[in-house]
Amino acid sequence: MAAPLVLVVLVAVTIRAALYRSSLAAFISERVEVSSPLNAWKRVVEGLALLDLGVSPYAGAVFHETPLIIYLFHFLIEYAEMVFMITDVLTAVALYLAIQDFNKVVFKKQKLLIELDKYAPDVAELIQTPMEMHYTPLKVALFYLLNPYTVMSCVAKSTCAINNTVIAFFILATIKGSAFLSAVFLALATYQSLYPLTLFAPALLYLLQRQFIPVKLKSKGFWLYTMQYAALYLCSLVVIICLSFFLLNSWDFIPAVYGFILSVPDLTPNIGLFWYFFAEMFEHFSLFFVCVFQINVFFYTIPLAIKLKEHPVFFLFVQIAIISVFKSYPTVGDIALYMAFLPVWSHLYRFLRNIFIPSCVLIVCSILFPVLWHLWIYAGSANSNFYYAITLTFNVGQIQLISDYFYAFLRREYYLSHGLHLTRQDGTEAMLVLK
Amino acid sequence: FQEQAEQFFRSGHTNNWAVLVCTSRFWFNYRHVANTLSVYRSVKRLGIPDSHIVLMLADDMACNPRNPKPATVFSHKNMELNVYGDDVEVDYRSYEVTVENFLRVLTGRIPPSTPRSKRLLSDDRSNILIYMTGHGGNGFLKFQDSEEITDVELADAFEQMWQKRRYNELLFIIDTCQGASMYERFYSPNIMALASSQVGEDSLSHQPDLGIGVHLMDRYTFYVLEFLEEIHPASQTNMNDLFQVCPKSLCVSTPGHRTDLFQRDPQDVLITDFFGSVRKVEITSETVSLESGLAGFESKLPKDELATEPLKYAEQLPVAQIIHQKPKQKDWHPPGGFILGLWALIIMVFFKTYGIKHMKHIF
C-alpha cells in the first residue's frame, strides 16, 4: 500500500507546487474563506517582522498565533511553501496510518461480536469485509490531499494546515492506543486553537474501550483512567503554556490567542456564523451572545458522548465536524479535515437519506462565495446579507451532511442488532426514524 | 505754531484701508450690493486705491438674468449713478464671502497661497474703515443665507487685530436691521462705530425703481452717500457731521454711534481720516544722510557653512545602495532557555513513547 500512497502524495505536491508558482496563489491567499484573522499567513509575516523590529508581535491586534508558531517560522520562513506542503503530506500519512489501524480495530470488534452472537441473523450484507475496506486508508489520504479545500488552504499558507497536522497526529496516537502521546498532541492542538478541547471525550472513550474498561460512572477503574488521562493532558497543556511564556518573557499571548478566540472582536466576514450577528448587535448584549455562541460549540459533547459511547471514532468525526461549523473563525481547512474521514463511513451509503441535497448545497455555496463577495465588496450591488445567506446555507448544508451520516450510522447499528427487516408488533414493515 | 503742531499730531495714521462687505446674495437683495458699491465708489474717489480695499460682494447683480440693465448697478431711481462702472475690483466674490474668510481677512490668519489683493495688509499706523451691510438681527449678521457672524465674534476679531497691531484707528459702519447690537460688544481701544438702527428697529430701504423692479438702496446708506458726495480730499468735515446724517424723520430708524472706545474727540476726527487716503506730506529742504548699519553684518556669517559641496542632482538618493541591499539580518532570536526547554520536552516525549531500548530500531 505504500506505492499508491507515494503516488498520491507526489500528485498532491505537484498540484500545490504548480499553484504556488501561478498567479492564483495571491488571489487565493486573499480570500476570506481560506484565511481568517487567526491563521492568515500575512499576519504571521507581520508578527515576525514586528519581532525583528523589537516590538512584541502581540502589541496591536494583528498577530494571533501561538509562540510555538513564532518559533517554528522564525527559522523556516523562507521555506514556508515547503513547510506547508510537508505538513499536508504529514497529515495525510498520519490519517492513512490511523485509518489502517482503525480498520484492524473494527475487524476485531466485528469478529468478537459475531462470535458472541450479538448480531441478528440476516445482516450478513451489512458486515464490513476486508476486501471492501482495503482501500479505505488510501482513499482517506486521497480525500485529504486532493480536496480543493485543502489545496486552497495550503496555497494560501494558512496555519490551519498545521492545526490539522497536530489533530491528525492526535488521532493517530489515540487509535494506536498511546495515552501519553495522545494527551500531548491534544494539548498541542488545544494550545493552538482551543476548540480541540472537545476532542478529549472521544479520545478518552476510545482509550477506555481499548483498555477494556467499561464506561460506568460508578466504576473505579473508569475514574482512575480518566483522571490519569486528564492529568496527562492538563499537565502537558500547562507545560506548553509555561514554555511559551519563556519565548517572549510575557503572558501577552494568552489574551491575544485565547482571548481573541473566545471574545471574537474581529468581525471580518468568513464562512462562520459569528461575524454577522456580532456586527449588528448592541454592545450590552454582545457578552451574552458571545457566551451563547461559544457554549454552542462545547455543548454537543456530552449528549453525543452518551449516545455514541460505543463508537468513539465516529464520535470523533462528528465532533471535528461540529467544531469546524461552530467555531468562531472557521475556514475551509477545518472542513477539509473532517471530509477526509468520509471514505471510512462509505459503507453507510445505502442508509444516507438525502446525500444529494447537502452535496449540492456545499458545491453551489462554495462557488457562490467568491461571486457574492465580489458583488458585495467590489460591484457594490449586493450587501452583507447576501454573503451571510450563503454562509448560513453552507453551514446548514454541512449540518445536514453530518446529521445524515449520524442517522445512517445509528440506523446501521440498529439493523445490526435487530435484523434488516424490521417488523412492528402486528407484522407490518417498520421504518426507523431518528427522534 | 501750536495749531500747526496740533494739526500734525491730529491723527497718527499713515495709510488707509477699507474692508467693504455685502453679506447678501440673490436678486432681491440688490440694495445691499448697491450700498456697498456706493461706499466703495466714494472711498475710491476720495483716494484709497484698490490695493488697499478689500471688497466682498456676492456680485450676482450686474450679470443677473433678471437685471434689465445688465452690467450696471444703480443707486438712484433715476439711474443717475451706476456704481458698478468699469473699474470695480471685487476681491471676494460669490461663495467666497463667508464668515471664515471675513474673519481671516481681519485677523490676517490667511493661508500662504492667498493673493495680495485678498489680504488686509494693515499695520499699526493704518486707519481702517469697515462697512457691512445685509440682513441682521439682535447680535448677529447673516452671511449669504447660510451662516451668521455674531457681535461677540466681531468684537474678538477686533481685539485680535488690536493685539496684533493691525490698526491705528477703526471706523465700523453697519447698515442692517438692529445694527446697533453689533457694536455693543466691542472692547478694543480706538474703535468708532456707527449703525443705521437701534436694537428693536428695522433699517428700511429707500426707494424702489419700477424699471428694475427692486429697491435700489437702503435709506441710511443713501443719505450717507449723499453726504459723502460733498466731501473732497481736502475737506475738513468731521465725524460729528456724519453722526447727524439721516435723522429719524428721513430714516424712520434711529441711527446710533459709539465713541467711548475712541481716544480722540470725534470733533477732531476728519471724515477723510477714514474715507479718504490723505497722505501727510512734509516738505523739507535739509538733506538727510542714512548711516549704513549693514557693514558689520557680512563678517558675522560663519565661514564653515559654505565649505560643503552642493550635492549634484543625481547623487541625492543612494539608489545603488538601495537596489543591492542585502536582506536584513534578523535581529530577534528565541531565548536559549526556550529552545533548550522545548527540545528537552520533545526528546522526553520521544523516549517515553519509544523507550530507550528501541533506539537501535529507529536509527
Side-chain angles (χ1 to χ4, degrees), chain A residues 157-186:
Chain A
K157 296 195 271 227
S158 146
T159 56
C160 185
I162 297 177
N163 203 22
N164 285 355
T165 310
V166 176
I167 296 179
F169 274 113
F170 154 70
I171 296 175
L172 177 63
T174 313
I175 292 184
K176 287 249 186 213
S178 155
F180 176 63
L181 269 185
S182 155
V184 165
F185 280 116
L186 187 62

mmCIF file of all heavy atoms in Angstrom, chain A residues 157-186:
data_model
loop_
_atom_site.group_PDB
_atom_site.id
_atom_site.type_symbol
_atom_site.label_atom_id
_atom_site.label_comp_id
_atom_site.label_asym_id
_atom_site.label_seq_id
_atom_site.Cartn_x
_atom_site.Cartn_y
_atom_site.Cartn_z
ATOM 1 N N LYS A 157 -1.255 29.283 2.444
ATOM 2 C CA LYS A 157 -0.341 29.176 3.577
ATOM 3 C C LYS A 157 -1.018 29.542 4.885
ATOM 4 O O LYS A 157 -0.492 30.259 5.712
ATOM 5 C CB LYS A 157 0.909 30.039 3.359
ATOM 6 C CG LYS A 157 1.746 29.572 2.185
ATOM 7 C CD LYS A 157 3.102 30.187 2.214
ATOM 8 C CE LYS A 157 3.057 31.490 1.474
ATOM 9 N NZ LYS A 157 4.122 31.686 0.527
ATOM 10 N N SER A 158 -2.202 28.990 5.059
ATOM 11 C CA SER A 158 -2.917 29.263 6.295
ATOM 12 C C SER A 158 -2.458 28.267 7.347
ATOM 13 O O SER A 158 -2.333 27.084 7.074
ATOM 14 C CB SER A 158 -4.409 29.126 6.002
ATOM 15 O OG SER A 158 -5.086 28.624 7.083
ATOM 16 N N THR A 159 -2.215 28.728 8.549
ATOM 17 C CA THR A 159 -1.685 27.832 9.584
ATOM 18 C C THR A 159 -2.721 26.831 10.074
ATOM 19 O O THR A 159 -2.450 26.031 10.963
ATOM 20 C CB THR A 159 -1.172 28.626 10.790
ATOM 21 O OG1 THR A 159 -2.225 29.443 11.261
ATOM 22 C CG2 THR A 159 0.013 29.460 10.422
ATOM 23 N N CYS A 160 -3.921 26.902 9.516
ATOM 24 C CA CYS A 160 -4.911 25.856 9.766
ATOM 25 C C CYS A 160 -4.354 24.503 9.382
ATOM 26 O O CYS A 160 -4.676 23.491 10.002
ATOM 27 C CB CYS A 160 -6.153 26.183 8.938
ATOM 28 S SG CYS A 160 -7.492 25.097 9.238
ATOM 29 N N ALA A 161 -3.471 24.482 8.392
ATOM 30 C CA ALA A 161 -2.870 23.212 7.969
ATOM 31 C C ALA A 161 -2.044 22.616 9.105
ATOM 32 O O ALA A 161 -2.025 21.403 9.308
ATOM 33 C CB ALA A 161 -1.993 23.439 6.742
ATOM 34 N N ILE A 162 -1.353 23.475 9.845
ATOM 35 C CA ILE A 162 -0.555 22.982 10.958
ATOM 36 C C ILE A 162 -1.469 22.436 12.056
ATOM 37 O O ILE A 162 -1.188 21.396 12.666
ATOM 38 C CB ILE A 162 0.340 24.109 11.497
ATOM 39 C CG1 ILE A 162 1.312 24.535 10.407
ATOM 40 C CG2 ILE A 162 1.073 23.676 12.744
ATOM 41 C CD1 ILE A 162 2.184 25.658 10.794
ATOM 42 N N ASN A 163 -2.576 23.137 12.280
ATOM 43 C CA ASN A 163 -3.535 22.638 13.256
ATOM 44 C C ASN A 163 -4.071 21.276 12.838
ATOM 45 O O ASN A 163 -4.211 20.363 13.657
ATOM 46 C CB ASN A 163 -4.689 23.646 13.371
ATOM 47 C CG ASN A 163 -5.399 23.526 14.684
ATOM 48 O OD1 ASN A 163 -4.860 23.017 15.660
ATOM 49 N ND2 ASN A 163 -6.643 23.971 14.706
ATOM 50 N N ASN A 164 -4.360 21.126 11.556
ATOM 51 C CA ASN A 164 -4.843 19.842 11.048
ATOM 52 C C ASN A 164 -3.818 18.748 11.251
ATOM 53 O O ASN A 164 -4.159 17.610 11.589
ATOM 54 C CB ASN A 164 -5.184 19.957 9.556
ATOM 55 C CG ASN A 164 -6.470 20.704 9.328
ATOM 56 O OD1 ASN A 164 -7.148 21.063 10.279
ATOM 57 N ND2 ASN A 164 -6.802 20.919 8.083
ATOM 58 N N THR A 165 -2.552 19.093 11.054
ATOM 59 C CA THR A 165 -1.499 18.090 11.238
ATOM 60 C C THR A 165 -1.464 17.617 12.683
ATOM 61 O O THR A 165 -1.372 16.405 12.952
ATOM 62 C CB THR A 165 -0.139 18.687 10.866
ATOM 63 O OG1 THR A 165 -0.229 19.301 9.600
ATOM 64 C CG2 THR A 165 0.929 17.627 10.861
ATOM 65 N N VAL A 166 -1.560 18.594 13.606
ATOM 66 C CA VAL A 166 -1.493 18.207 15.019
ATOM 67 C C VAL A 166 -2.686 17.324 15.375
ATOM 68 O O VAL A 166 -2.547 16.311 16.064
ATOM 69 C CB VAL A 166 -1.442 19.468 15.901
ATOM 70 C CG1 VAL A 166 -1.477 19.096 17.351
ATOM 71 C CG2 VAL A 166 -0.201 20.261 15.600
ATOM 72 N N ILE A 167 -3.871 17.694 14.871
ATOM 73 C CA ILE A 167 -5.057 16.879 15.166
ATOM 74 C C ILE A 167 -4.915 15.496 14.532
ATOM 75 O O ILE A 167 -5.295 14.467 15.138
ATOM 76 C CB ILE A 167 -6.334 17.582 14.687
ATOM 77 C CG1 ILE A 167 -6.535 18.877 15.467
ATOM 78 C CG2 ILE A 167 -7.537 16.690 14.851
ATOM 79 C CD1 ILE A 167 -7.762 19.644 15.053
ATOM 80 N N ALA A 168 -4.327 15.433 13.332
ATOM 81 C CA ALA A 168 -4.154 14.128 12.686
ATOM 82 C C ALA A 168 -3.203 13.246 13.494
ATOM 83 O O ALA A 168 -3.452 12.046 13.680
ATOM 84 C CB ALA A 168 -3.620 14.314 11.268
ATOM 85 N N PHE A 169 -2.146 13.854 14.009
ATOM 86 C CA PHE A 169 -1.232 13.076 14.846
ATOM 87 C C PHE A 169 -1.906 12.652 16.135
ATOM 88 O O PHE A 169 -1.665 11.552 16.645
ATOM 89 C CB PHE A 169 0.030 13.896 15.166
ATOM 90 C CG PHE A 169 1.062 13.777 14.103
ATOM 91 C CD1 PHE A 169 1.412 14.867 13.327
ATOM 92 C CD2 PHE A 169 1.691 12.561 13.859
ATOM 93 C CE1 PHE A 169 2.361 14.748 12.334
ATOM 94 C CE2 PHE A 169 2.639 12.443 12.873
ATOM 95 C CZ PHE A 169 2.972 13.536 12.103
ATOM 96 N N PHE A 170 -2.752 13.512 16.642
ATOM 97 C CA PHE A 170 -3.510 13.160 17.840
ATOM 98 C C PHE A 170 -4.387 11.952 17.565
ATOM 99 O O PHE A 170 -4.467 11.002 18.362
ATOM 100 C CB PHE A 170 -4.335 14.367 18.281
ATOM 101 C CG PHE A 170 -5.562 14.046 19.051
ATOM 102 C CD1 PHE A 170 -5.481 13.556 20.338
ATOM 103 C CD2 PHE A 170 -6.813 14.222 18.505
ATOM 104 C CE1 PHE A 170 -6.608 13.256 21.061
ATOM 105 C CE2 PHE A 170 -7.951 13.920 19.220
ATOM 106 C CZ PHE A 170 -7.853 13.430 20.495
ATOM 107 N N ILE A 171 -5.057 11.952 16.408
ATOM 108 C CA ILE A 171 -5.924 10.822 16.060
ATOM 109 C C ILE A 171 -5.094 9.557 15.909
ATOM 110 O O ILE A 171 -5.468 8.479 16.393
ATOM 111 C CB ILE A 171 -6.705 11.141 14.776
ATOM 112 C CG1 ILE A 171 -7.642 12.318 15.011
ATOM 113 C CG2 ILE A 171 -7.477 9.937 14.295
ATOM 114 C CD1 ILE A 171 -8.352 12.767 13.778
ATOM 115 N N LEU A 172 -3.935 9.694 15.263
ATOM 116 C CA LEU A 172 -3.062 8.530 15.091
ATOM 117 C C LEU A 172 -2.645 7.973 16.438
ATOM 118 O O LEU A 172 -2.709 6.765 16.679
ATOM 119 C CB LEU A 172 -1.846 8.944 14.273
ATOM 120 C CG LEU A 172 -0.789 7.862 14.062
ATOM 121 C CD1 LEU A 172 -1.348 6.716 13.281
ATOM 122 C CD2 LEU A 172 0.425 8.436 13.342
ATOM 123 N N ALA A 173 -2.226 8.863 17.333
ATOM 124 C CA ALA A 173 -1.769 8.402 18.646
ATOM 125 C C ALA A 173 -2.906 7.755 19.420
ATOM 126 O O ALA A 173 -2.715 6.731 20.094
ATOM 127 C CB ALA A 173 -1.206 9.589 19.434
ATOM 128 N N THR A 174 -4.107 8.337 19.306
ATOM 129 C CA THR A 174 -5.238 7.765 20.028
ATOM 130 C C THR A 174 -5.561 6.376 19.519
ATOM 131 O O THR A 174 -5.751 5.433 20.283
ATOM 132 C CB THR A 174 -6.486 8.645 19.857
ATOM 133 O OG1 THR A 174 -6.133 9.989 20.071
ATOM 134 C CG2 THR A 174 -7.573 8.244 20.803
ATOM 135 N N ILE A 175 -5.595 6.230 18.193
ATOM 136 C CA ILE A 175 -6.003 4.946 17.638
ATOM 137 C C ILE A 175 -4.928 3.886 17.904
ATOM 138 O O ILE A 175 -5.244 2.714 18.096
ATOM 139 C CB ILE A 175 -6.344 5.096 16.155
ATOM 140 C CG1 ILE A 175 -7.620 5.944 16.049
ATOM 141 C CG2 ILE A 175 -6.533 3.759 15.481
ATOM 142 C CD1 ILE A 175 -8.151 6.109 14.679
ATOM 143 N N LYS A 176 -3.692 4.325 17.944
ATOM 144 C CA LYS A 176 -2.643 3.355 18.282
ATOM 145 C C LYS A 176 -2.688 2.973 19.738
ATOM 146 O O LYS A 176 -2.078 1.991 20.134
ATOM 147 C CB LYS A 176 -1.263 3.965 17.990
ATOM 148 C CG LYS A 176 -0.946 4.067 16.550
ATOM 149 C CD LYS A 176 0.147 3.110 16.158
ATOM 150 C CE LYS A 176 0.511 3.385 14.710
ATOM 151 N NZ LYS A 176 0.914 2.200 14.006
ATOM 152 N N GLY A 177 -3.377 3.773 20.575
ATOM 153 C CA GLY A 177 -3.559 3.391 21.960
ATOM 154 C C GLY A 177 -2.599 4.045 22.934
ATOM 155 O O GLY A 177 -2.626 3.748 24.111
ATOM 156 N N SER A 178 -1.792 4.962 22.474
ATOM 157 C CA SER A 178 -0.822 5.550 23.399
ATOM 158 C C SER A 178 -1.438 6.767 24.058
ATOM 159 O O SER A 178 -1.571 7.817 23.454
ATOM 160 C CB SER A 178 0.424 5.946 22.606
ATOM 161 O OG SER A 178 1.105 6.958 23.249
ATOM 162 N N ALA A 179 -1.812 6.615 25.337
ATOM 163 C CA ALA A 179 -2.491 7.711 26.029
ATOM 164 C C ALA A 179 -1.590 8.912 26.179
ATOM 165 O O ALA A 179 -2.023 10.059 26.082
ATOM 166 C CB ALA A 179 -2.986 7.233 27.390
ATOM 167 N N PHE A 180 -0.333 8.680 26.412
ATOM 168 C CA PHE A 180 0.615 9.768 26.660
ATOM 169 C C PHE A 180 0.741 10.664 25.430
ATOM 170 O O PHE A 180 0.563 11.879 25.495
ATOM 171 C CB PHE A 180 1.950 9.160 27.067
ATOM 172 C CG PHE A 180 3.030 10.170 27.245
ATOM 173 C CD1 PHE A 180 2.934 11.145 28.212
ATOM 174 C CD2 PHE A 180 4.147 10.155 26.422
ATOM 175 C CE1 PHE A 180 3.927 12.073 28.373
ATOM 176 C CE2 PHE A 180 5.150 11.084 26.573
ATOM 177 C CZ PHE A 180 5.043 12.050 27.552
ATOM 178 N N LEU A 181 1.031 10.009 24.291
ATOM 179 C CA LEU A 181 1.195 10.801 23.069
ATOM 180 C C LEU A 181 -0.095 11.499 22.675
ATOM 181 O O LEU A 181 -0.095 12.639 22.200
ATOM 182 C CB LEU A 181 1.637 9.900 21.915
ATOM 183 C CG LEU A 181 3.127 9.728 21.706
ATOM 184 C CD1 LEU A 181 3.364 8.921 20.461
ATOM 185 C CD2 LEU A 181 3.811 11.063 21.599
ATOM 186 N N SER A 182 -1.204 10.772 22.889
ATOM 187 C CA SER A 182 -2.495 11.360 22.537
ATOM 188 C C SER A 182 -2.750 12.611 23.364
ATOM 189 O O SER A 182 -3.189 13.642 22.852
ATOM 190 C CB SER A 182 -3.573 10.304 22.763
ATOM 191 O OG SER A 182 -4.791 10.903 22.996
ATOM 192 N N ALA A 183 -2.416 12.513 24.681
ATOM 193 C CA ALA A 183 -2.609 13.690 25.537
ATOM 194 C C ALA A 183 -1.710 14.831 25.087
ATOM 195 O O ALA A 183 -2.125 15.997 25.064
ATOM 196 C CB ALA A 183 -2.331 13.329 26.987
ATOM 197 N N VAL A 184 -0.469 14.500 24.715
ATOM 198 C CA VAL A 184 0.471 15.553 24.312
ATOM 199 C C VAL A 184 -0.025 16.261 23.055
ATOM 200 O O VAL A 184 -0.060 17.492 22.977
ATOM 201 C CB VAL A 184 1.873 14.946 24.103
ATOM 202 C CG1 VAL A 184 2.753 15.902 23.342
ATOM 203 C CG2 VAL A 184 2.502 14.606 25.432
ATOM 204 N N PHE A 185 -0.458 15.454 22.066
ATOM 205 C CA PHE A 185 -0.898 16.098 20.816
ATOM 206 C C PHE A 185 -2.198 16.852 20.994
ATOM 207 O O PHE A 185 -2.415 17.890 20.367
ATOM 208 C CB PHE A 185 -1.031 15.060 19.699
ATOM 209 C CG PHE A 185 0.282 14.716 19.085
ATOM 210 C CD1 PHE A 185 0.788 13.426 19.179
ATOM 211 C CD2 PHE A 185 1.033 15.670 18.429
ATOM 212 C CE1 PHE A 185 2.004 13.105 18.625
ATOM 213 C CE2 PHE A 185 2.253 15.356 17.875
ATOM 214 C CZ PHE A 185 2.749 14.071 17.975
ATOM 215 N N LEU A 186 -3.063 16.326 21.864
ATOM 216 C CA LEU A 186 -4.307 17.049 22.116
ATOM 217 C C LEU A 186 -4.009 18.372 22.805
ATOM 218 O O LEU A 186 -4.625 19.398 22.511
ATOM 219 C CB LEU A 186 -5.245 16.205 22.972
ATOM 220 C CG LEU A 186 -6.628 16.811 23.143
ATOM 221 C CD1 LEU A 186 -7.337 16.939 21.823
ATOM 222 C CD2 LEU A 186 -7.449 15.978 24.105
#
